[in-house]
């Protein structure tokens, strides 16, 4: 067996993040001077077949034409991967579903001169799946169907794959990955796997190439020092949103995540309007801390009318939970979920934008930048600057930048 060459074989149902991981992994390995190439069956199918492969029936395991065609494509890629490793390639990533035992048996027989590491991507979060399928059906291959029909077609395709799906158990080397949470669920390694640490470390790292973390523009509530609520931007807030729009018009922003509150969406709208194709996705997870019985009050009013609340919060701001509401401590779970969703949905895109709130942005920052919990509720989150965050395996950057 060749000790410095490796096959990575992706496994998983469609829309589980396999290709995103494959692309990122390749970039990372290449950065480390490890020659890596991806062999993607779906891409090859779209390139070389003239048959309509969008219908779900094409993926029916009983459809002989479909099965044969897909097997032929798999073999072409396996042969190409072998050739790549026998030349100057170090790592060949086979990107396909590879969910059946039969297919994996063929892979093992053909790829016999270097170890194989199987990476199975698992994610059954309904909401994320729905959103990923919606992204998939925006691809040109679904253009002849209306969105509802395309959604159903892709869901049926997944069902066909499910009917032949066997999870990894008997393979010599495998990692089962919760691909939404970057968590390794199971790992079995028998052979010496080249670049194992690098790959493993990559799999558990949240990768964000450029995250632009913005706080919404000034609101009427901000002017009065009122907390929570759902107020709109002031004239100054609108002007801030316009300046942001001008600033970011020089960058490509395909998706903007906001909360469900008016002030973040109103800040996003002018930015999206200046982009070519940009969607705004409001996520509940990014709603501002809910201050329960204190919603819509000023800090002054809280101090006067509810001194016990005011002083208890001052004493331990991170752990204090507003009666009937939230605290930083209880927000953590939903903010983490929001970040995972945003990262998953943006897939391989380079620039992600999140427009959040003061407490929300503190929590998002602390997800990437270590801060002692007691310091998190005091992270500086101005409205006239934004944070540029880069967090990859090899680079961590946090920069507070003005946009005017
Ligand atoms: O004042 C704006 C605001 O976003 C409020 O809605 C929220 O309660 C507050 O900031 C959070 O900041 P702190 O935790 O410092 O009170």
């Amino acid at each position: 067996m060749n000790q410095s060459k490796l096959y990575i074989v992706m496994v998983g149902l469609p829309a589980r993040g396999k290709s995103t991981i494959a692309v990122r992994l390749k970039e990372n390995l290449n950065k480390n001077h490890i020659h890596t190439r991806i062999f993607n069956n779906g891409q090859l199918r779209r390139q070389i077949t003239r048959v309509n492969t969008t219908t779900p029936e094409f993926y029916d395991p009983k459809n002989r034409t479909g099965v044969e065609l897909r097997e032929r494509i798999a073999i072409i890629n396996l042969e190409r991967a072998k050739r790549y490793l026998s030349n100057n390639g170090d790592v060949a990533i086979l990107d396909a579903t590879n969910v059946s035992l039969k297919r994996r048996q063929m892979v093992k027989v053909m790829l016999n001169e270097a170890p194989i590491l199987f990476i199975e991507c698992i994610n059954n979060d309904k909401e994320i799946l729905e959103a990923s399928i919606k992204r998939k059906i925006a691809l040109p291959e679904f253009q002849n169907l209306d969105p509802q029909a395309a959604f159903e077609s892709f869901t049926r395709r997944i069902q066909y794959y499910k009917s032949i799906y066997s999870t990894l158990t008997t393979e010599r080397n495998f990692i089962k990955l919760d691909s939404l949470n970057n968590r390794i669920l199971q790992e079995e390694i028998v052979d010496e796997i080249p670049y194992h640490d690098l790959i493993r470390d990559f799999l558990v790292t949240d990768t964000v190439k450029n995250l632009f973390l913005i706080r919404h523009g000034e609101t009427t509530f901000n002017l009065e020092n009122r907390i929570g609520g759902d107020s709109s931007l002031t004239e100054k807030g609108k002007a801030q949103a316009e300046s942001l729009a001008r600033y970011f018009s020089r960058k490509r922003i395909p998706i903007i995540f906001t909360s469900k509150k008016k002030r973040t969406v109103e800040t996003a709208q002018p930015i999206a309007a200046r982009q070519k194709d940009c969607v705004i996705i409001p996520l509940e997870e990014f709603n501002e801390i809910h201050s329960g019985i204190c919603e819509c009050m000023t800090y002054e009013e809280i101090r006067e009318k509810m001194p016990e609340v005011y002083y208890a919060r001052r004493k331990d701001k991170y752990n204090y939970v507003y009666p009937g509401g939230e605290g930083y401590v209880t927000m953590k779970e939903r903010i983490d979920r929001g970040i995972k969703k945003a990262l998953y949905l943006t897939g391989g895109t380079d620039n992600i934008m999140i427009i959040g709130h003061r407490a929300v942005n503190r929590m998002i920052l602390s997800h990437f930048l270590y801060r002692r919990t007691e310091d998190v509720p005091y992270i500086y989150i101005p409205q006239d600057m934004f944070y540029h965050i880069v967090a990859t395996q090899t680079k961590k950057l946090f920069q507070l930048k003005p946009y005017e």
Side-chain angles (χ1 to χ4, degrees):
M1 279 245 164
N2 196 317
Q3 290 306 311
S4 65
K5 309 255 174 177
L6 176 69
Y7 290 113
I8 295 179
V9 175
M10 306 304 293
V11 174
L13 294 169
R16 263 56 181 186
K18 296 185 298 298
S19 296
T20 305
I21 291 177
V23 170
R24 290 260 167 91
L25 191 52
K26 178 188 118 173
E27 284 172 4
N28 241 34
L29 288 163
N30 280 337
K31 241 190 250 159
N32 285 279
H33 312 291
I34 300 161
H35 299 114
T36 305
R37 192 174 289 171
I38 297 175
F39 300 85
N40 178 304
N41 288 9
Q43 257 165 27
L44 187 60
R45 168 172 49 78
R46 284 183 286 271
Q47 272 164 21
I48 67 170
T49 54
R50 264 186 231 106
V51 198
N52 178 5
T53 62
T54 36
T55 64
E57 288 66 39
F58 178 76
Y59 301 87
D60 181 347
K62 291 194 208 83
N63 174 349
R64 286 223 57 80
T65 331
V67 171
E68 273 164 25
L69 188 61
R70 281 184 295 126
E71 188 162 307
R72 229 177 52 224
I73 287 163
I75 291 172
I76 296 176
N77 263 339
L78 291 168
E79 278 165 352
R80 287 183 180 176
K82 274 170 92 77
R83 218 172 309 133
Y84 177 62
L85 286 204
S86 68
N87 292 324
N88 70 336
D90 298 311
V91 178
I93 305 179
L94 281 305
D95 183 12
T97 52
N98 297 314
V99 288
S100 73
L101 285 175
K102 191 163 162 252
R103 169 63 63 83
R104 293 206 291 271
Q105 191 48 37
M106 177 172 99
V107 168
K108 284 187 256 182
V109 170
M110 282 188 69
L111 306 181
N112 53 3
E113 74 294 355
I116 305 176
L117 173 65
F118 288 92
I119 300 179
E120 180 174 350
C121 296
I122 299 171
N123 163 29
N124 292 319
D125 184 298
K126 228 177 133 237
E127 213 184 329
I128 297 277
L129 269 180
E130 256 185 51
S132 315
I133 295 174
K134 281 192 189 138
R135 268 191 57 202
K136 293 248 175 210
I137 59 177
L139 291 172
E141 71 175 292
F142 289 100
Q143 234 132 68
N144 56 338
L145 295 175
D146 69 72
Q148 181 61 24
F151 190 89
E152 277 161 22
S153 161
F154 201 84
T155 312
R156 291 233 312 276
R157 183 192 299 194
I158 294 178
Q159 286 308 328
Y160 281 128
Y161 276 110
K162 270 193 183 160
S163 70
I164 51 163
Y165 186 6
S166 299
T167 190
L168 298 170
T169 44
T170 53
E171 282 68 18
R172 290 173 70 79
N173 313 297
F174 71 83
I175 292 177
K176 277 193 204 185
L177 183 76
D178 170 345
S179 51
L180 177 60
N181 294 301
N182 305 77
R183 208 155 11 97
I184 291 180
L185 302 169
Q186 193 187 351
E187 182 174 21
E188 303 290 337
I189 304 286
V190 174
D191 302 312
E192 201 46 51
I193 299 293
Y195 326 112
H196 172 260
D197 293 0
L198 181 62
I199 294 166
R200 197 187 187 288
D201 188 39
F202 162 80
L203 292 176
V204 297
T205 306
D206 269 335
T207 302
V208 269
K209 283 201 185 151
N210 292 297
L211 167 60
F212 303 110
L213 181 63
I214 295 169
R215 185 176 167 199
H216 61 80
E218 184 193 76
T219 65
T220 47
F221 263 35
N222 289 151
L223 274 183
E224 298 164 14
N225 231 348
R226 287 189 190 284
I227 64 172
D230 193 13
S231 58
S232 275
L233 299 185
T234 59
E235 284 311 312
K236 182 176 169 192
K238 286 182 198 159
Q240 287 168 328
E242 284 300 335
S243 302
L244 280 163
R246 270 195 303 277
Y247 181 93
F248 283 101
S249 62
R250 283 169 265 146
K251 298 193 191 301
R252 170 84 191 104
I253 311 288
I255 308 182
I256 306 177
F257 295 96
T258 65
S259 72
K260 295 244 172 176
K261 302 290 174 187
K262 286 201 287 255
R263 52 198 187 274
T264 58
V265 178
E266 287 171 10
T267 308
Q269 276 159 347
I271 305 175
R274 285 233 183 184
Q275 296 284 326
K276 198 154 164 280
D277 285 302
C278 173
V279 283
I280 299 174
I281 304 185
L283 296 179
E284 216 151 46
E285 282 85 350
F286 293 149
N287 280 355
E288 182 55 317
I289 186 169
H290 192 272
S291 40
I293 57 169
C294 298
E295 273 289 295
C296 304
M297 291 172 80
T298 66
Y299 291 111
E300 256 317 280
E301 285 167 356
I302 301 172
R303 189 158 62 114
E304 274 166 25
K305 296 187 184 137
M306 303 174 192
E308 65 295 347
V309 170
Y310 186 83
Y311 290 107
R313 189 165 194 262
R314 271 205 147 177
K315 213 161 158 239
D316 186 0
K317 196 171 171 188
Y318 187 85
N319 289 304
Y320 183 79
V321 179
Y322 280 111
E326 294 179 296
Y328 281 86
V329 65
T330 57
M331 281 169 80
K332 186 169 171 41
E333 195 270 328
R334 71 165 165 97
I335 297 289
D336 283 346
R337 190 162 15 100
I339 295 170
K340 300 286 176 198
K341 262 191 194 177
L343 295 187
Y344 195 89
L345 292 177
T346 40
T349 27
D350 285 0
N351 299 333
I352 309 178
M353 181 178 281
I354 300 179
I355 303 184
H357 304 258
R358 180 152 65 178
V360 165
N361 287 11
R362 285 174 177 152
M363 294 301 284
I364 295 175
L365 265 176
S366 68
H367 178 96
F368 296 102
L369 173 71
Y370 175 73
R371 279 280 186 274
R372 292 182 311 170
T373 52
E374 61 264 44
D375 296 328
V376 171
Y378 300 97
I379 298 175
Y380 180 50
I381 309 285
Q383 273 166 321
D384 55 358
M385 292 200 254
F386 68 92
Y387 277 96
H388 177 193
I389 302 171
V390 179
T392 68
Q393 204 176 7
T394 49
K395 185 171 171 190
K396 302 269 182 266
L397 171 96
F398 293 88
Q399 207 176 358
L400 187 56
K401 289 181 175 168
Y403 51 79
E404 303 231 48

